[in-house]
Amino acid sequence: MNGRKVNLAFLTSIILYIACVFGIAFLFPKLLENLVLNNLICETIIALPGLLFLIFSKDKIPEFLHLKKIKIGTLLVIIPFTFFSMPLIILANLLSQFFVENEIAAAMEDFQIGEMPFLLLLFSVGIFGPFCEELVCRGVYYRGYRKSGSAFKAMILSSLLFALVHMNLNQAVYAFVMGMMAVLLVEATGSLWSSFFYHTLINSSQVFLMHVMLKANPSAYSESAEAMTMETMVFALGAYLIIVAVTLPIAWALLVWMSGHEGRRGVLPLIWIERKKKEDKLLTIPLIFAFILCIAMMLLPYLMSYLIQILYRYLAVIP
């Protein structure tokens, strides 16, 4: 499995995803209202093509994906690493909201998350989603690009694919940052299980917080969105810049400790040092086509909203 096959697998995933979304919208529109089932279907579609490409390749799957055991001490340190890396992810989310709407907050009340069975929601979003995304993005995609070139470019490109599969501009920004942190964690520990644990901690904690907030106040997210003015966003941005300046070095120190604990001391600096390593061509036509499809899907809601506004204005002037 190399970079070219990764690009083809990613394009296949995107085409299947788009076909599934429109198919469900036309044939089973009620299914779109069920977040749990909707998420299970989408995550499976995203992961399946990459895994099938890997299965039919000549690579040994456990070795290729780096499904190695990690030490208990490393596993425990991933918890504070998650805590200290979260401000950077939140900062990226804040930056995106200067340009686009917070998609997750906007969808909370539409899906009535506060009324959903907590354990089903936790499994779907907090466990199954991270498992599928890590298996394909930090497993198949990253390892495929890593096999074809430098770890640095593989990190950037696999994180970009991870961002694009979320199919909205708001999530794409902070997913890109989260993807890079997950790759650094995989390199530090030498195991894909570390990024799965990291991703699960993030998603599960967010599911828990959302469920508790909406149980207490079903309008919590809409009220907070209304209270979020440009002034408060600028203030929050400044506050998080200061927080990140403190927490990011701590997160890096924890990464360095984990790499030493797993017998991989010195592997993290090599990502930067070997960034200009000669490699196969990673940017191919299937990948470019997949990029275009993803961007089109991300911009579609904004385009539809703009066209509806034009239509309303046109009808308003008709006597």
Side-chain angles (χ1 to χ4, degrees):
M1 188 76 173
N2 56 27
R4 291 176 180 271
K5 289 182 179 179
V6 166
N7 293 345
L8 194 56
F10 181 66
L11 175 61
T12 305
S13 289
I14 297 305
I15 291 173
L16 286 175
Y17 177 87
I18 293 173
C20 183
V21 167
F22 283 103
I24 290 174
F26 282 108
L27 299 176
F28 310 102
K30 286 288 183 181
L31 191 61
L32 294 176
E33 299 174 8
N34 189 322
L35 177 63
V36 172
L37 191 56
N38 197 17
N39 189 67
L40 291 175
I41 293 171
C42 290
E43 295 290 357
T44 302
I45 290 170
I46 287 169
L48 195 58
L51 292 176
L52 288 176
F53 269 75
L54 178 57
I55 288 169
F56 288 105
S57 70
K58 296 179 180 179
D59 298 286
K60 293 181 180 179
I61 295 176
E63 288 83 358
F64 181 85
L65 295 176
H66 281 219
L67 294 172
K68 300 176 181 178
K69 292 181 180 179
I70 52 178
K71 297 177 181 178
I72 296 297
T74 302
L75 199 65
L76 292 174
V77 172
I78 292 174
I79 298 172
F81 170 76
T82 304
F83 176 79
F84 285 112
S85 68
M86 275 301 294
L88 181 62
I89 296 170
I90 295 171
L91 178 63
N93 186 17
L94 276 171
L95 283 170
S96 72
Q97 290 179 56
F98 280 92
F99 309 99
V100 294
E101 185 181 13
N102 187 327
E103 296 286 345
I104 297 297
M108 291 303 97
E109 293 170 25
D110 293 339
F111 283 113
Q112 297 181 329
I113 284 183
E115 304 302 319
M116 288 184 177
F118 174 71
L119 291 180
L120 281 178
L121 189 64
L122 181 65
F123 172 74
S124 175
V125 179
I127 300 173
F128 185 75
F131 178 76
C132 289
E133 290 174 9
E134 291 307 312
L135 204 59
V136 70
C137 292
R138 252 65 66 190
V140 178
Y141 295 166
Y142 175 69
R143 290 296 166 190
Y145 287 137
R146 185 76 173 85
K147 191 175 180 180
S148 296
S150 69
F152 181 79
K153 291 182 180 177
M155 176 178 68
I156 298 299
L157 203 48
S158 64
S159 298
L160 180 58
L161 300 194
F162 177 59
L164 291 174
V165 298
H166 287 82
M167 290 294 179
N168 69 73
L169 294 171
N170 169 235
Q171 278 185 290
V173 174
Y174 63 83
F176 179 76
V177 174
M178 181 179 164
M180 290 198 294
M181 300 300 286
V183 166
L184 291 173
L185 187 57
V186 168
E187 284 293 331
T189 62
S191 174
L192 184 64
W193 293 118
S194 61
S195 68
F196 167 63
F197 186 49
Y198 172 67
H199 197 159
T200 298
L201 283 173
I202 291 175
N203 279 28
S204 297
S205 62
Q206 295 306 303
V207 167
F208 177 76
L209 289 172
M210 287 188 299
H211 199 267
V212 169
M213 285 180 65
L214 291 174
K215 273 289 185 182
N217 180 9
S219 303
Y221 279 91
S222 62
E223 289 174 4
S224 63
E226 290 174 4
M228 186 65 76
T229 63
M230 184 60 69
E231 289 77 13
T232 56
M233 285 179 64
V234 170
F235 178 80
L237 183 65
Y240 268 99
L241 282 170
I242 297 170
I243 294 170
V244 168
V246 175
T247 58
L248 194 57
I250 299 174
W252 179 259
L254 292 173
L255 276 174
V256 173
W257 184 91
M258 284 186 277
S259 68
H261 192 61
E262 292 291 334
R264 294 174 59 82
R265 190 178 302 278
V267 71
L268 294 172
L270 286 176
I271 295 175
W272 178 255
I273 293 169
E274 297 180 350
R275 69 190 184 281
K276 295 181 179 179
K277 178 182 174 182
K278 192 174 181 180
E279 59 190 22
D280 295 337
K281 186 179 180 182
L282 298 180
L283 193 63
T284 62
I285 291 175
L287 185 60
I288 294 171
F289 188 43
F291 282 171
I292 293 171
L293 287 175
C294 288
I295 297 300
M297 286 293 291
M298 290 180 183
L299 294 178
L300 184 61
Y302 300 98
L303 179 61
M304 293 297 294
S305 176
Y306 179 69
L307 290 175
I308 290 172
Q309 288 179 16
I310 292 176
L311 181 61
Y312 279 151
R313 288 173 185 172
Y314 174 74
L315 293 175
V317 299
I318 296 177

